[in-house]
Amino acid sequence: MRDIELYRHLLGIESPWTVTQVELNVADQRVDVWAGHEERVPWTCPECGANAPVYDHADERVWRHLDSCQFRTLLHARPPRVQCPTHGVRQVRLPWAEGRSRFTTLFERLIIDVLRECDIAGACAILRISWDEAWHVLERAVRRGQQRKTRRLPARLGVDEKAVAKGHVYLTLVCDLETATIEHVAEDRKRASLEPYFERFTAAERAAVQAVALDMWAPYEDAVRASVPNADDKIVFDLFHIMQHMNEAVDRTRRTEHRELKAGGDDRLTGTKYVWSYGEENVPDMHRDRLARLTARGMMRKLKTTRAWSIKESLRDLWKCRSRVQAERHWQWWYGWAIRSRLSSVKKVAAMLKAHLPGVLAYFRHRVTNAVSEAVNAKIQRIKKMAYGFRNREHFKTAIFFHCGGLDLYPATY
Ligand SMILES: [Zn+2]
């Protein structure tokens, strides 16, 4: 009798439910607990809450619950079915589990917590559940969260692409820059990847968008222009993508120059790929001496890569300007330097920026960058690396919403 009381407390089972039987199986390391209910309970219809008489009892079902001292704990019960005048025969709502779940709410919450911290295989090992069970909980949690989510078009958005596989396979991600949550995930990086996101909202809601940070990528620009009124005042080509283009220009300069130098037996640029890619104040200690030597006075005239690097560093200063006027002045000066640099990769970036200048300088009105979505992007990279065992792209998308959607994932308790 004592373990019946104990398990009633452990499982939090309250009237009209009670624990009727507990069986401990030491060899199998499991505890089976049976719940039953009192007679003459005023059951209600799960749909409308109307009082409804018992119709019958469903077959016994089993729910996995939180372990008791490492013993797998299984709750058994026969859920009553009621006859509602409006909704017909329905199974009553059970206090310990959601509709069709094979886990109690508390165990499902634990699964969600563990899945947030590790990959699926890890969660399966810790919780002694199967891959499919874990995945099912994750998927249900996302669906539940999305149903609860209030429809809202964020005022400040970041649009980003994510390479998901080799060979130009991309996903398009829309991030709420204020909450740092992923709002939309779509295949590819086409206009049609982004436009349907906006189509879910009314014209008035779309007009309320204040700023959209994105890369200089025509399909995205087209989608925003087609969807957001006065888009040209709202598009901000953001610092991170611009610096990414500039870093690539430095790297292309380095590769070409390295080949030329090496042909003449000069290996000054050997192993310097990463030396150039940091912002000057963030260079890791391991690269610091090398960078100092390569950028020392006099070296600049000799090495094209050093020149490209200086131009890159000077471009970064654009975003440190305090006003648009100051930024325009810096831009003029920088552009003159870059376009006359005789470095073809650098000139290409300079020309691209000039063609997109209003959107580059729009930063000084909206002050948005994709820094937030870059951080989310790094998280998504980790999700990808977790060897999640995604069996298809849909699974990957679901996992993105699970980890980055800012959703309310937990099953409800009654
Ligand atoms: Zn009803």
Side-chain angles (χ1 to χ4, degrees):
M1 203 59 199
R2 280 220 315 272
D3 27 328
I4 285 176
E5 265 306 286
L6 174 66
Y7 271 90
R8 195 177 68 71
H9 286 292
L10 283 179
L11 272 58
I13 286 180
E14 285 171 7
S15 174
W17 290 95
T18 183
V19 171
T20 57
Q21 191 187 341
V22 178
E23 263 181 39
L24 177 68
N25 187 327
V26 177
D28 288 347
Q29 300 231 318
R30 65 182 266 174
V31 185
D32 287 275
V33 181
W34 279 264
H37 62 80
E38 297 151 6
E39 297 289 319
R40 273 191 265 284
V41 176
W43 299 108
T44 55
C45 165
E47 302 281 336
C48 63
N51 284 334
V54 173
Y55 175 78
D56 66 358
H57 283 77
D59 290 339
E60 183 176 288
R61 287 182 55 197
V62 185
W63 295 265
R64 169 92 186 266
H65 188 62
L66 298 172
D67 291 355
S68 359
C69 302
Q70 319 276 348
F71 280 46
R72 277 157 45 87
T73 302
L74 299 153
L75 177 64
H76 303 245
R78 290 188 61 189
R81 302 201 305 161
V82 292
Q83 172 107 51
C84 169
T86 318
H87 296 100
V89 175
R90 286 280 196 283
Q91 185 186 302
V92 301
R93 193 168 276 167
L94 300 169
W96 57 80
E98 273 193 347
R100 291 183 207 292
S101 181
R102 294 158 66 190
F103 304 114
T104 65
T105 303
L106 285 175
F107 190 61
E108 201 161 330
R109 290 176 77 99
L110 177 68
I111 296 175
I112 291 169
D113 286 340
V114 174
L115 282 171
R116 278 184 147 152
E117 300 299 326
C118 62
D119 62 16
I120 294 199
C124 293
I126 290 168
L127 299 164
R128 295 181 285 179
I129 55 177
S130 70
W131 200 99
D132 285 330
E133 286 172 328
W135 179 257
H136 191 62
V137 167
L138 187 151
E139 209 170 33
R140 260 160 44 98
V142 169
R143 214 180 308 133
R144 186 186 294 127
Q146 283 173 333
Q147 274 162 10
R148 287 175 183 166
K149 192 181 166 88
T150 43
R151 206 182 70 119
R152 189 182 72 90
L153 180 56
R156 292 144 89 83
L157 296 162
V159 179
D160 214 342
E161 64 186 36
K162 178 87 206 147
V164 287
K166 286 203 180 85
H168 299 282
V169 182
Y170 293 95
L171 289 181
T172 292
L173 307 171
V174 177
C175 183
D176 179 338
L177 295 180
E178 269 147 45
T179 58
T181 51
I182 293 290
E183 300 293 305
H184 172 72
V185 180
E187 299 283 324
D188 239 314
R189 47 171 181 166
K190 296 184 181 142
R191 178 172 166 168
S193 314
L194 183 54
E195 226 172 307
Y197 171 66
F198 291 107
E199 280 165 5
R200 285 189 256 152
F201 299 96
T202 65
E205 285 171 315
R206 284 184 268 134
V209 169
Q210 291 165 11
V212 187
L214 47 107
D215 190 9
M216 294 167 286
W217 178 247
Y220 288 164
E221 291 172 52
D222 293 343
V224 175
R225 288 208 175 89
S227 314
V228 178
N230 304 320
D232 284 315
D233 297 336
K234 297 171 178 180
I235 290 176
V236 181
F237 296 117
D238 90 288
L239 157 73
F240 285 88
H241 283 108
I242 293 172
M243 289 315 297
Q244 212 174 316
H245 290 295
M246 197 60 218
N247 268 318
E248 280 160 19
V250 174
D251 195 51
R252 271 194 295 275
T253 309
R254 176 196 62 84
R255 281 207 306 267
T256 313
E257 187 174 36
H258 181 46
R259 251 195 318 270
E260 291 163 8
L261 291 178
K262 235 178 134 191
D266 181 341
D267 61 356
R268 265 180 296 171
L269 286 175
T270 301
T272 63
K273 181 174 166 67
Y274 297 104
V275 173
W276 309 99
S277 60
Y278 297 91
E280 204 171 1
E281 67 278 7
N282 296 324
V283 179
D285 288 342
M286 59 190 283
H287 296 319
R288 214 167 263 287
D289 288 350
R290 193 82 192 270
L291 184 66
R293 260 180 282 129
L294 287 162
T295 57
R297 222 168 247 287
M299 191 61 91
M300 192 134 150
R301 209 164 299 143
K302 289 184 207 129
L303 280 177
K304 288 177 188 160
T305 309
T306 306
R307 214 145 33 87
W309 173 82
S310 303
I311 295 171
K312 183 237 333 177
E313 285 302 298
S314 169
L315 177 60
R316 285 198 315 131
D317 292 338
L318 183 70
W319 288 273
K320 291 177 195 150
C321 290
R322 277 193 298 271
S323 67
R324 193 186 157 112
V325 175
Q326 199 188 1
E328 271 172 33
R329 222 177 297 138
H330 183 80
W331 160 260
Q332 288 299 344
W333 172 81
W334 181 87
Y335 178 74
W337 183 17
I339 212 72
R340 284 193 289 272
S341 66
R342 283 171 283 117
L343 302 167
S344 61
S345 307
V346 171
K347 281 163 70 181
K348 247 183 238 165
V349 175
M352 179 168 68
L353 289 176
K354 191 173 188 194
H356 292 86
L357 193 59
V360 176
L361 295 177
Y363 171 77
F364 294 94
R365 176 161 15 157
H366 300 297
R367 303 268 167 189
V368 295
T369 74
N370 255 330
V372 165
S373 40
E374 286 299 304
V376 174
N377 217 323
K379 204 161 155 191
I380 293 172
Q381 191 59 27
R382 281 202 300 281
I383 298 172
K384 205 171 103 184
K385 271 200 193 138
M386 268 182 182
Y388 234 113
F390 296 118
R391 295 169 190 186
N392 58 45
R393 193 91 52 77
E394 286 308 311
H395 281 189
F396 184 44
K397 286 188 208 167
T398 305
I400 290 174
F401 282 118
F402 182 81
H403 290 282
C404 311
L407 300 171
D408 177 9
L409 299 167
Y410 292 125
T413 45
Y414 297 102

